[in-house]
Amino acid sequence: MNQFVTEWNTWRDSRNSALAKPFGWLSVVGLHWLDAESTWTDAPGTFTVDDGWVTVSLKTGIKAGPAAETFDLLSKVENGGASRSAGGEPGTNGAGVTNSGPTRATSPAVPSDTSTLPTVTDQAGAGSAAGAGSAGGDSAAGTDAGSGGHDAVSARPQVRVEENGFSAKLPAGGSLNWFTVGNVLYELIDRGGRLGVRVRNSKSPLLGKFFEVPVFDPDPDFVFLARFTRFDPFKTYTIETAQEDLQLQTQATGIVTFETQQGEVSLLTTGCPKTGLQLDFHDSTNGATTSAWRTIDLGVPNQDGSLVIDFNRAVNYPFAFTSFATCPAPIEGNVVPFDVTAGERRPPFFYSEAGINVPFLFYVWWDEESAEVTRPWYSRFGLDITILNPNHDDGRLSLVGFDGVAMSGGDLSPLGRKARSRLIDVATEALTSRIPVIGIGAYSAFVIQAQRELRSQQGYADGIEREYEAQADRLLIVMNNELDPKQAGFDIVHTDASGLIYVEMPFDIPLESDRTEVEDFQAAMESDAPITSWQEFDYRMVALIRHHR
């Protein structure tokens, strides 16, 4: 293993460890925006807002204590001391690295979910501003303090202990890990002048399910030598966020420029030139194999402005894991003009008001028109589906975090040798991991072949001399015995000696159903009504997966 891959693996291990912290981003289970007086189901008390101060009056019997960050602020107030942000000296990356050559960021990069910035008051000489962008950060989650940073010293939250609760006042764009009740931490945030309470639970289902973030294989072709040109003064932009009704102000600190096979590329940076630049970007993989946008910790540019952009270290913002993040979108126009098949992929796991999702991987080769019609059905029926094309999406994708995998297509001829091998490997991994795997149409052959090879390797002699063939006018569906198709109203037409289960469907049924409500699909399934459309078929397949989970 070469040094490039070794360093990348070390970085990735740090990233996964940072995410897995008890009160990190994977522990977030709620976000509540505050009015003058607010409470909600399971709230520890009533929250009131007065002149910027937020006070929680605890319910009778609720025992709460200050979180570590609040306790630290209280201690400094009691001792009469002034708090100071941590960071590196001017001209370093915070780790004692000098500007002797092009630098590569080494942070695990768990970015903050805000880049709201206070007014820049002294760009020229604020070398002491290391960590100035930590307003809105998440120190408990290992947040990179440089995310959203700038060259001005940021204010600190103010805190007080009340007779029956706590009070706090945040600077603009700030965050405070405020107080805890048992295994739940309540975080106070200011986003664009709106105050909210974010709830973190160290026993959240998402944190318990987490193993690692899926990634593309490391590729040196996605490493570029770039040059940073600083703006003076910085430029302010209005940006969108992961919350549809929230916009924020951010400041572009400069431009990074680098050469690619597609020509010269220039992108705007945020962050702090003296403590670490940040690059938020879109590319054409967003929404398919990657989340809606990603970010890279660029580190500190050298004195001549040179730095390294390593897309292998592109990471997901917290919004890729939870619907309760307020992450900043890239500045308009920050689009990389090629597929960035490097860095982190879209995570299969996600937490929202509906709870943890049911992530499912789907390799499909049907016509695009049918895919556009059917894709929304899965989400509506409760399956969070990642759709890949076996010919085009050629990166190795682990099934870790997925609750099942399906592969579907009517014709094998478009598939190349690598695509066919990939589908067999995916089916083998699913069978070995004992997660549901479903082959539909011609693609059922890959599930069958994977099962045959796996059983042979394990020393079984099933004695299957002839494979089952569906009738000419019917579609074959093959699945492993992790699933019980009878539970969803499917008739089993065959079970082979290896344990695979066979179901058939007629081709000549309409795409969409006359039924419109999910409750109607549910009632039809429970009454064992015949399947009269592909929409009903998809509903029952989703129900089958969800029931297995």
Side-chain angles (χ1 to χ4, degrees):
M1 184 180 298
N2 61 38
Q3 184 177 355
F4 171 77
V5 175
T6 300
E7 291 179 353
W8 179 83
N9 281 328
T10 300
W11 168 85
R12 186 185 177 212
D13 289 343
S14 297
R15 161 71 168 162
N16 286 323
S17 296
L19 278 172
K21 292 185 177 181
F23 285 123
W25 284 111
L26 302 184
S27 73
V28 175
V29 295
L31 173 61
H32 306 275
W33 296 111
L34 300 180
D35 298 318
E37 183 172 303
S38 304
T39 191
W40 57 89
T41 303
D42 298 329
T46 300
F47 296 81
T48 56
V49 180
D50 184 18
D51 193 27
W53 282 87
V54 180
T55 301
V56 56
S57 297
L58 299 171
K59 293 178 180 176
T60 302
I62 294 292
K63 295 182 179 180
E69 186 179 353
T70 300
F71 187 80
D72 182 60
L73 290 169
L74 289 169
S75 299
K76 285 179 169 57
V77 171
E78 291 174 0
N79 295 332
S83 59
R84 182 170 61 90
S85 297
E89 294 300 320
T92 76
N93 67 1
V97 179
T98 61
N99 292 327
S100 57
T103 58
R104 181 199 301 273
T106 58
S107 165
V110 182
S112 168
D113 72 337
T114 181
S115 59
T116 304
L117 304 176
T119 301
V120 175
T121 57
D122 181 13
Q123 292 189 40
S128 62
S134 60
D138 176 23
S139 56
T143 296
D144 173 16
S147 177
H150 55 94
D151 281 1
V153 178
S154 60
R156 301 279 286 181
Q158 302 174 59
V159 293
R160 298 189 304 233
V161 176
E162 306 292 350
E163 182 176 351
N164 187 39
F166 306 93
S167 293
K169 187 174 185 178
L170 297 177
S175 295
L176 171 67
N177 288 336
W178 194 9
F179 65 93
T180 60
V181 177
N183 54 279
V184 178
L185 182 147
Y186 294 88
E187 176 193 9
L188 184 62
I189 66 173
D190 177 298
R191 299 293 182 265
R194 296 174 65 184
L195 292 167
V197 171
R198 187 152 48 203
V199 184
R200 299 173 182 258
N201 189 333
S202 63
K203 297 182 180 180
S204 74
L206 187 58
L207 188 58
K209 188 179 181 67
F210 176 72
F211 178 71
E212 63 183 8
V213 184
V215 292
F216 295 96
D217 291 335
D219 186 347
D221 289 341
F222 284 96
V223 182
F224 300 92
L225 178 61
R227 184 169 301 278
F228 171 69
T229 303
R230 176 176 171 145
F231 288 150
D232 192 9
F234 296 163
K235 298 182 180 181
T236 301
Y237 292 85
T238 299
I239 57 172
E240 302 297 324
T241 72
Q243 299 291 323
E244 292 184 359
D245 58 348
L246 177 66
Q247 291 183 324
L248 299 175
Q249 297 291 310
T250 193
Q251 287 182 317
T253 50
I255 295 178
V256 286
T257 304
F258 53 102
E259 290 292 335
T260 73
Q261 292 183 349
Q262 289 75 23
E264 185 178 86
V265 176
S266 294
L267 301 169
L268 296 172
T269 62
T270 55
C272 176
K274 294 181 179 178
T275 59
L277 296 172
Q278 203 78 15
L279 175 61
D280 299 341
F281 68 95
H282 290 291
D283 76 277
S284 52
T285 67
N286 296 163
T289 55
T290 63
S291 54
W293 63 87
R294 290 180 290 170
T295 185
I296 305 177
D297 175 11
L298 298 180
V300 178
N302 291 291
Q303 292 178 356
D304 63 356
S306 62
L307 51 76
V308 172
I309 299 178
D310 186 351
F311 284 103
N312 294 284
R313 303 192 183 197
V315 301
N316 294 303
Y317 265 113
F319 78 88
F321 306 99
T322 175
S323 65
F324 305 118
T326 62
C327 306
I331 297 170
E332 187 174 357
N334 250 29
V335 180
V336 178
F338 52 85
D339 290 356
V340 183
T341 52
E344 290 186 347
R345 292 174 174 262
R346 176 188 173 200
F349 32 78
F350 184 79
Y351 195 88
S352 67
E353 291 182 356
I356 195 169
N357 64 336
V358 182
F360 196 82
L361 183 62
F362 207 127
Y363 281 93
V364 61
W365 186 282
W366 295 107
D367 62 274
E368 289 299 323
E369 182 178 351
S370 296
E372 287 300 313
V373 173
T374 58
R375 182 188 293 260
W377 296 348
Y378 300 114
S379 176
R380 185 183 178 211
F381 296 154
L383 210 62
D384 186 0
I385 201 158
T386 297
I387 297 181
L388 298 180
N389 182 312
N391 262 347
H392 300 164
D393 299 310
D394 56 359
R396 182 76 173 93
L397 182 59
S398 170
L399 297 185
V400 172
F402 287 102
D403 286 331
V405 59
M407 43 193 69
S408 174
D411 183 8
L412 299 183
S413 61
L415 296 179
R417 179 180 58 81
K418 289 185 177 180
R420 295 177 186 228
S421 296
R422 183 175 306 110
L423 291 172
I424 293 173
D425 288 344
V426 170
T428 301
E429 182 180 350
L431 291 166
T432 304
S433 304
R434 299 187 62 84
I435 67 172
V437 57
I438 304 169
I440 302 173
Y443 281 31
S444 61
F446 300 115
V447 177
I448 296 171
Q449 184 174 343
Q451 178 78 329
R452 300 290 177 265
E453 293 178 358
L454 188 60
R455 296 276 292 179
S456 176
Q457 292 169 8
Q458 294 172 342
Y460 294 99
D462 295 322
I464 301 174
E465 298 180 358
R466 182 178 179 182
E467 298 294 350
Y468 179 86
E469 294 183 11
Q471 300 178 45
D473 61 343
R474 299 179 74 82
L475 180 73
L476 182 64
I477 302 103
V478 177
M479 61 192 76
N480 59 346
N481 56 15
E482 294 297 316
L483 297 170
D484 182 1
K486 291 182 179 179
Q487 292 178 332
F490 291 106
D491 293 327
I492 297 175
V493 297
H494 180 65
T495 301
D496 69 23
S498 73
L500 292 180
I501 300 170
Y502 296 68
V503 170
E504 290 181 354
M505 283 289 297
F507 278 112
D508 57 347
I509 55 176
L511 189 64
E512 297 189 67
S513 172
D514 293 335
R515 299 182 173 91
T516 57
E517 302 299 325
V518 174
E519 292 78 8
D520 296 334
F521 288 100
Q522 176 72 20
M525 183 180 69
E526 292 176 350
S527 65
D528 204 24
I531 300 173
T532 57
S533 70
W534 289 111
Q535 189 174 16
E536 294 172 48
F537 169 81
D538 284 350
Y539 175 80
R540 298 198 188 192
M541 294 302 291
V542 170
L544 190 60
I545 297 298
R546 290 178 61 86
H547 187 274
H548 170 270
R549 185 185 190 190

mmCIF file with all atom_site columns, all heavy atoms in Angstrom, residues 376-392:
data_model
loop_
_atom_site.group_PDB
_atom_site.id
_atom_site.type_symbol
_atom_site.label_atom_id
_atom_site.label_alt_id
_atom_site.label_comp_id
_atom_site.label_asym_id
_atom_site.label_entity_id
_atom_site.label_seq_id
_atom_site.pdbx_PDB_ins_code
_atom_site.Cartn_x
_atom_site.Cartn_y
_atom_site.Cartn_z
_atom_site.occupancy
_atom_site.B_iso_or_equiv
_atom_site.pdbx_formal_charge
_atom_site.auth_seq_id
_atom_site.auth_comp_id
_atom_site.auth_asym_id
_atom_site.auth_atom_id
_atom_site.pdbx_PDB_model_num
ATOM 1   N N   . PRO A 1 376 ? -40.130 8.571  -7.209  1.00 0.00 ? 376 PRO A N   1
ATOM 2   C CA  . PRO A 1 376 ? -40.826 9.178  -6.065  1.00 0.00 ? 376 PRO A CA  1
ATOM 3   C C   . PRO A 1 376 ? -41.670 8.193  -5.259  1.00 0.00 ? 376 PRO A C   1
ATOM 4   O O   . PRO A 1 376 ? -41.959 8.453  -4.087  1.00 0.00 ? 376 PRO A O   1
ATOM 5   C CB  . PRO A 1 376 ? -41.719 10.253 -6.721  1.00 0.00 ? 376 PRO A CB  1
ATOM 6   C CG  . PRO A 1 376 ? -41.109 10.514 -8.060  1.00 0.00 ? 376 PRO A CG  1
ATOM 7   C CD  . PRO A 1 376 ? -40.539 9.201  -8.484  1.00 0.00 ? 376 PRO A CD  1
ATOM 8   N N   . TRP A 1 377 ? -42.071 7.085  -5.869  1.00 0.00 ? 377 TRP A N   1
ATOM 9   C CA  . TRP A 1 377 ? -42.889 6.125  -5.141  1.00 0.00 ? 377 TRP A CA  1
ATOM 10  C C   . TRP A 1 377 ? -42.148 5.570  -3.932  1.00 0.00 ? 377 TRP A C   1
ATOM 11  O O   . TRP A 1 377 ? -42.719 5.411  -2.859  1.00 0.00 ? 377 TRP A O   1
ATOM 12  C CB  . TRP A 1 377 ? -43.287 4.959  -6.053  1.00 0.00 ? 377 TRP A CB  1
ATOM 13  C CG  . TRP A 1 377 ? -44.156 5.325  -7.204  1.00 0.00 ? 377 TRP A CG  1
ATOM 14  C CD1 . TRP A 1 377 ? -44.808 6.510  -7.412  1.00 0.00 ? 377 TRP A CD1 1
ATOM 15  C CD2 . TRP A 1 377 ? -44.476 4.495  -8.336  1.00 0.00 ? 377 TRP A CD2 1
ATOM 16  N NE1 . TRP A 1 377 ? -45.504 6.481  -8.591  1.00 0.00 ? 377 TRP A NE1 1
ATOM 17  C CE2 . TRP A 1 377 ? -45.328 5.254  -9.181  1.00 0.00 ? 377 TRP A CE2 1
ATOM 18  C CE3 . TRP A 1 377 ? -44.136 3.212  -8.715  1.00 0.00 ? 377 TRP A CE3 1
ATOM 19  C CZ2 . TRP A 1 377 ? -45.821 4.748  -10.380 1.00 0.00 ? 377 TRP A CZ2 1
ATOM 20  C CZ3 . TRP A 1 377 ? -44.636 2.707  -9.900  1.00 0.00 ? 377 TRP A CZ3 1
ATOM 21  C CH2 . TRP A 1 377 ? -45.475 3.461  -10.719 1.00 0.00 ? 377 TRP A CH2 1
ATOM 22  N N   . TYR A 1 378 ? -40.876 5.259  -4.121  1.00 0.00 ? 378 TYR A N   1
ATOM 23  C CA  . TYR A 1 378 ? -40.124 4.632  -3.036  1.00 0.00 ? 378 TYR A CA  1
ATOM 24  C C   . TYR A 1 378 ? -40.078 5.521  -1.809  1.00 0.00 ? 378 TYR A C   1
ATOM 25  O O   . TYR A 1 378 ? -40.279 5.066  -0.680  1.00 0.00 ? 378 TYR A O   1
ATOM 26  C CB  . TYR A 1 378 ? -38.703 4.309  -3.508  1.00 0.00 ? 378 TYR A CB  1
ATOM 27  C CG  . TYR A 1 378 ? -38.650 3.369  -4.681  1.00 0.00 ? 378 TYR A CG  1
ATOM 28  C CD1 . TYR A 1 378 ? -38.169 3.790  -5.915  1.00 0.00 ? 378 TYR A CD1 1
ATOM 29  C CD2 . TYR A 1 378 ? -39.076 2.054  -4.559  1.00 0.00 ? 378 TYR A CD2 1
ATOM 30  C CE1 . TYR A 1 378 ? -38.111 2.936  -6.997  1.00 0.00 ? 378 TYR A CE1 1
ATOM 31  C CE2 . TYR A 1 378 ? -39.025 1.183  -5.634  1.00 0.00 ? 378 TYR A CE2 1
ATOM 32  C CZ  . TYR A 1 378 ? -38.544 1.633  -6.860  1.00 0.00 ? 378 TYR A CZ  1
ATOM 33  O OH  . TYR A 1 378 ? -38.506 0.783  -7.925  1.00 0.00 ? 378 TYR A OH  1
ATOM 34  N N   . SER A 1 379 ? -39.812 6.803  -2.027  1.00 0.00 ? 379 SER A N   1
ATOM 35  C CA  . SER A 1 379 ? -39.759 7.743  -0.907  1.00 0.00 ? 379 SER A CA  1
ATOM 36  C C   . SER A 1 379 ? -41.109 7.846  -0.227  1.00 0.00 ? 379 SER A C   1
ATOM 37  O O   . SER A 1 379 ? -41.208 7.841  1.005   1.00 0.00 ? 379 SER A O   1
ATOM 38  C CB  . SER A 1 379 ? -39.303 9.121  -1.403  1.00 0.00 ? 379 SER A CB  1
ATOM 39  O OG  . SER A 1 379 ? -39.325 10.059 -0.364  1.00 0.00 ? 379 SER A OG  1
ATOM 40  N N   . ARG A 1 380 ? -42.162 7.913  -1.018  1.00 0.00 ? 380 ARG A N   1
ATOM 41  C CA  . ARG A 1 380 ? -43.508 8.031  -0.455  1.00 0.00 ? 380 ARG A CA  1
ATOM 42  C C   . ARG A 1 380 ? -43.882 6.790  0.344   1.00 0.00 ? 380 ARG A C   1
ATOM 43  O O   . ARG A 1 380 ? -44.550 6.877  1.372   1.00 0.00 ? 380 ARG A O   1
ATOM 44  C CB  . ARG A 1 380 ? -44.517 8.251  -1.589  1.00 0.00 ? 380 ARG A CB  1
ATOM 45  C CG  . ARG A 1 380 ? -45.929 8.506  -1.093  1.00 0.00 ? 380 ARG A CG  1
ATOM 46  C CD  . ARG A 1 380 ? -46.904 8.636  -2.229  1.00 0.00 ? 380 ARG A CD  1
ATOM 47  N NE  . ARG A 1 380 ? -48.252 8.830  -1.739  1.00 0.00 ? 380 ARG A NE  1
ATOM 48  C CZ  . ARG A 1 380 ? -49.340 8.416  -2.374  1.00 0.00 ? 380 ARG A CZ  1
ATOM 49  N NH1 . ARG A 1 380 ? -49.249 7.798  -3.534  1.00 0.00 ? 380 ARG A NH1 1
ATOM 50  N NH2 . ARG A 1 380 ? -50.529 8.644  -1.857  1.00 0.00 ? 380 ARG A NH2 1
ATOM 51  N N   . PHE A 1 381 ? -43.443 5.644  -0.106  1.00 0.00 ? 381 PHE A N   1
ATOM 52  C CA  . PHE A 1 381 ? -43.783 4.394  0.566   1.00 0.00 ? 381 PHE A CA  1
ATOM 53  C C   . PHE A 1 381 ? -42.837 4.073  1.725   1.00 0.00 ? 381 PHE A C   1
ATOM 54  O O   . PHE A 1 381 ? -43.025 3.080  2.413   1.00 0.00 ? 381 PHE A O   1
ATOM 55  C CB  . PHE A 1 381 ? -43.780 3.233  -0.433  1.00 0.00 ? 381 PHE A CB  1
ATOM 56  C CG  . PHE A 1 381 ? -44.833 3.350  -1.504  1.00 0.00 ? 381 PHE A CG  1
ATOM 57  C CD1 . PHE A 1 381 ? -44.657 2.746  -2.736  1.00 0.00 ? 381 PHE A CD1 1
ATOM 58  C CD2 . PHE A 1 381 ? -46.010 4.061  -1.278  1.00 0.00 ? 381 PHE A CD2 1
ATOM 59  C CE1 . PHE A 1 381 ? -45.622 2.839  -3.730  1.00 0.00 ? 381 PHE A CE1 1
ATOM 60  C CE2 . PHE A 1 381 ? -46.982 4.164  -2.270  1.00 0.00 ? 381 PHE A CE2 1
ATOM 61  C CZ  . PHE A 1 381 ? -46.793 3.556  -3.501  1.00 0.00 ? 381 PHE A CZ  1
ATOM 62  N N   . GLY A 1 382 ? -41.797 4.892  1.934   1.00 0.00 ? 382 GLY A N   1
ATOM 63  C CA  . GLY A 1 382 ? -40.957 4.747  3.118   1.00 0.00 ? 382 GLY A CA  1
ATOM 64  C C   . GLY A 1 382 ? -39.593 4.129  2.903   1.00 0.00 ? 382 GLY A C   1
ATOM 65  O O   . GLY A 1 382 ? -38.947 3.710  3.856   1.00 0.00 ? 382 GLY A O   1
ATOM 66  N N   . LEU A 1 383 ? -39.117 4.098  1.646   1.00 0.00 ? 383 LEU A N   1
ATOM 67  C CA  . LEU A 1 383 ? -37.794 3.552  1.360   1.00 0.00 ? 383 LEU A CA  1
ATOM 68  C C   . LEU A 1 383 ? -36.901 4.680  0.848   1.00 0.00 ? 383 LEU A C   1
ATOM 69  O O   . LEU A 1 383 ? -37.268 5.397  -0.090  1.00 0.00 ? 383 LEU A O   1
ATOM 70  C CB  . LEU A 1 383 ? -37.894 2.449  0.304   1.00 0.00 ? 383 LEU A CB  1
ATOM 71  C CG  . LEU A 1 383 ? -36.865 1.323  0.367   1.00 0.00 ? 383 LEU A CG  1
ATOM 72  C CD1 . LEU A 1 383 ? -36.985 0.560  1.675   1.00 0.00 ? 383 LEU A CD1 1
ATOM 73  C CD2 . LEU A 1 383 ? -37.062 0.365  -0.812  1.00 0.00 ? 383 LEU A CD2 1
ATOM 74  N N   . ASP A 1 384 ? -35.745 4.852  1.473   1.00 0.00 ? 384 ASP A N   1
ATOM 75  C CA  . ASP A 1 384 ? -34.782 5.856  1.035   1.00 0.00 ? 384 ASP A CA  1
ATOM 76  C C   . ASP A 1 384 ? -33.826 5.173  0.069   1.00 0.00 ? 384 ASP A C   1
ATOM 77  O O   . ASP A 1 384 ? -32.902 4.478  0.468   1.00 0.00 ? 384 ASP A O   1
ATOM 78  C CB  . ASP A 1 384 ? -34.029 6.428  2.237   1.00 0.00 ? 384 ASP A CB  1
ATOM 79  C CG  . ASP A 1 384 ? -33.121 7.573  1.847   1.00 0.00 ? 384 ASP A CG  1
ATOM 80  O OD1 . ASP A 1 384 ? -33.073 7.914  0.654   1.00 0.00 ? 384 ASP A OD1 1
ATOM 81  O OD2 . ASP A 1 384 ? -32.454 8.119  2.734   1.00 0.00 ? 384 ASP A OD2 1
ATOM 82  N N   . ILE A 1 385 ? -34.049 5.386  -1.222  1.00 0.00 ? 385 ILE A N   1
ATOM 83  C CA  . ILE A 1 385 ? -33.400 4.547  -2.214  1.00 0.00 ? 385 ILE A CA  1
ATOM 84  C C   . ILE A 1 385 ? -32.251 5.286  -2.898  1.00 0.00 ? 385 ILE A C   1
ATOM 85  O O   . ILE A 1 385 ? -32.350 6.470  -3.214  1.00 0.00 ? 385 ILE A O   1
ATOM 86  C CB  . ILE A 1 385 ? -34.437 4.052  -3.245  1.00 0.00 ? 385 ILE A CB  1
ATOM 87  C CG1 . ILE A 1 385 ? -33.942 2.812  -3.965  1.00 0.00 ? 385 ILE A CG1 1
ATOM 88  C CG2 . ILE A 1 385 ? -34.837 5.117  -4.219  1.00 0.00 ? 385 ILE A CG2 1
ATOM 89  C CD1 . ILE A 1 385 ? -35.054 2.000  -4.572  1.00 0.00 ? 385 ILE A CD1 1
ATOM 90  N N   . THR A 1 386 ? -31.149 4.593  -3.070  1.00 0.00 ? 386 THR A N   1
ATOM 91  C CA  . THR A 1 386 ? -30.021 5.075  -3.856  1.00 0.00 ? 386 THR A CA  1
ATOM 92  C C   . THR A 1 386 ? -29.989 4.273  -5.143  1.00 0.00 ? 386 THR A C   1
ATOM 93  O O   . THR A 1 386 ? -29.807 3.049  -5.119  1.00 0.00 ? 386 THR A O   1
ATOM 94  C CB  . THR A 1 386 ? -28.696 4.902  -3.101  1.00 0.00 ? 386 THR A CB  1
ATOM 95  O OG1 . THR A 1 386 ? -28.730 5.690  -1.913  1.00 0.00 ? 386 THR A OG1 1
ATOM 96  C CG2 . THR A 1 386 ? -27.513 5.339  -3.956  1.00 0.00 ? 386 THR A CG2 1
ATOM 97  N N   . ILE A 1 387 ? -30.201 4.938  -6.282  1.00 0.00 ? 387 ILE A N   1
ATOM 98  C CA  . ILE A 1 387 ? -30.273 4.254  -7.569  1.00 0.00 ? 387 ILE A CA  1
ATOM 99  C C   . ILE A 1 387 ? -28.946 4.412  -8.303  1.00 0.00 ? 387 ILE A C   1
ATOM 100 O O   . ILE A 1 387 ? -28.453 5.521  -8.482  1.00 0.00 ? 387 ILE A O   1
ATOM 101 C CB  . ILE A 1 387 ? -31.434 4.799  -8.420  1.00 0.00 ? 387 ILE A CB  1
ATOM 102 C CG1 . ILE A 1 387 ? -32.778 4.537  -7.720  1.00 0.00 ? 387 ILE A CG1 1
ATOM 103 C CG2 . ILE A 1 387 ? -31.424 4.158  -9.802  1.00 0.00 ? 387 ILE A CG2 1
ATOM 104 C CD1 . ILE A 1 387 ? -33.984 5.034  -8.500  1.00 0.00 ? 387 ILE A CD1 1
ATOM 105 N N   . LEU A 1 388 ? -28.366 3.288  -8.724  1.00 0.00 ? 388 LEU A N   1
ATOM 106 C CA  . LEU A 1 388 ? -27.111 3.298  -9.466  1.00 0.00 ? 388 LEU A CA  1
ATOM 107 C C   . LEU A 1 388 ? -27.286 2.586  -10.794 1.00 0.00 ? 388 LEU A C   1
ATOM 108 O O   . LEU A 1 388 ? -28.071 1.642  -10.912 1.00 0.00 ? 388 LEU A O   1
ATOM 109 C CB  . LEU A 1 388 ? -26.007 2.602  -8.662  1.00 0.00 ? 388 LEU A CB  1
ATOM 110 C CG  . LEU A 1 388 ? -25.626 3.233  -7.316  1.00 0.00 ? 388 LEU A CG  1
ATOM 111 C CD1 . LEU A 1 388 ? -24.521 2.413  -6.663  1.00 0.00 ? 388 LEU A CD1 1
ATOM 112 C CD2 . LEU A 1 388 ? -25.183 4.670  -7.485  1.00 0.00 ? 388 LEU A CD2 1
ATOM 113 N N   . ASN A 1 389 ? -26.560 3.052  -11.779 1.00 0.00 ? 389 ASN A N   1
ATOM 114 C CA  . ASN A 1 389 ? -26.507 2.400  -13.078 1.00 0.00 ? 389 ASN A CA  1
ATOM 115 C C   . ASN A 1 389 ? -25.279 1.488  -13.084 1.00 0.00 ? 389 ASN A C   1
ATOM 116 O O   . ASN A 1 389 ? -24.163 1.960  -12.884 1.00 0.00 ? 389 ASN A O   1
ATOM 117 C CB  . ASN A 1 389 ? -26.397 3.462  -14.178 1.00 0.00 ? 389 ASN A CB  1
ATOM 118 C CG  . ASN A 1 389 ? -26.375 2.875  -15.571 1.00 0.00 ? 389 ASN A CG  1
ATOM 119 O OD1 . ASN A 1 389 ? -25.637 1.937  -15.843 1.00 0.00 ? 389 ASN A OD1 1
ATOM 120 N ND2 . ASN A 1 389 ? -27.172 3.445  -16.463 1.00 0.00 ? 389 ASN A ND2 1
ATOM 121 N N   . PRO A 1 390 ? -25.447 0.188  -13.283 1.00 0.00 ? 390 PRO A N   1
ATOM 122 C CA  . PRO A 1 390 ? -24.306 -0.728 -13.155 1.00 0.00 ? 390 PRO A CA  1
ATOM 123 C C   . PRO A 1 390 ? -23.194 -0.480 -14.174 1.00 0.00 ? 390 PRO A C   1
ATOM 124 O O   . PRO A 1 390 ? -22.054 -0.862 -13.947 1.00 0.00 ? 390 PRO A O   1
ATOM 125 C CB  . PRO A 1 390 ? -24.928 -2.111 -13.340 1.00 0.00 ? 390 PRO A CB  1
ATOM 126 C CG  . PRO A 1 390 ? -26.214 -1.856 -14.054 1.00 0.00 ? 390 PRO A CG  1
ATOM 127 C CD  . PRO A 1 390 ? -26.690 -0.517 -13.615 1.00 0.00 ? 390 PRO A CD  1
ATOM 128 N N   . ASN A 1 391 ? -23.507 0.152  -15.303 1.00 0.00 ? 391 ASN A N   1
ATOM 129 C CA  . ASN A 1 391 ? -22.478 0.459  -16.297 1.00 0.00 ? 391 ASN A CA  1
ATOM 130 C C   . ASN A 1 391 ? -21.737 1.752  -15.988 1.00 0.00 ? 391 ASN A C   1
ATOM 131 O O   . ASN A 1 391 ? -20.529 1.850  -16.167 1.00 0.00 ? 391 ASN A O   1
ATOM 132 C CB  . ASN A 1 391 ? -23.095 0.567  -17.690 1.00 0.00 ? 391 ASN A CB  1
ATOM 133 C CG  . ASN A 1 391 ? -22.942 -0.731 -18.486 1.00 0.00 ? 391 ASN A CG  1
ATOM 134 O OD1 . ASN A 1 391 ? -22.182 -1.614 -18.099 1.00 0.00 ? 391 ASN A OD1 1
ATOM 135 N ND2 . ASN A 1 391 ? -23.670 -0.847 -19.571 1.00 0.00 ? 391 ASN A ND2 1
ATOM 136 N N   . HIS A 1 392 ? -22.451 2.746  -15.493 1.00 0.00 ? 392 HIS A N   1
ATOM 137 C CA  . HIS A 1 392 ? -21.861 4.072  -15.317 1.00 0.00 ? 392 HIS A CA  1
ATOM 138 C C   . HIS A 1 392 ? -21.296 4.285  -13.925 1.00 0.00 ? 392 HIS A C   1
ATOM 139 O O   . HIS A 1 392 ? -20.261 4.936  -13.767 1.00 0.00 ? 392 HIS A O   1
ATOM 140 C CB  . HIS A 1 392 ? -22.905 5.157  -15.618 1.00 0.00 ? 392 HIS A CB  1
ATOM 141 C CG  . HIS A 1 392 ? -23.436 5.098  -17.010 1.00 0.00 ? 392 HIS A CG  1
ATOM 142 N ND1 . HIS A 1 392 ? -24.591 5.745  -17.410 1.00 0.00 ? 392 HIS A ND1 1
ATOM 143 C CD2 . HIS A 1 392 ? -22.980 4.453  -18.109 1.00 0.00 ? 392 HIS A CD2 1
ATOM 144 C CE1 . HIS A 1 392 ? -24.811 5.501  -18.687 1.00 0.00 ? 392 HIS A CE1 1
ATOM 145 N NE2 . HIS A 1 392 ? -23.858 4.722  -19.132 1.00 0.00 ? 392 HIS A NE2 1
#
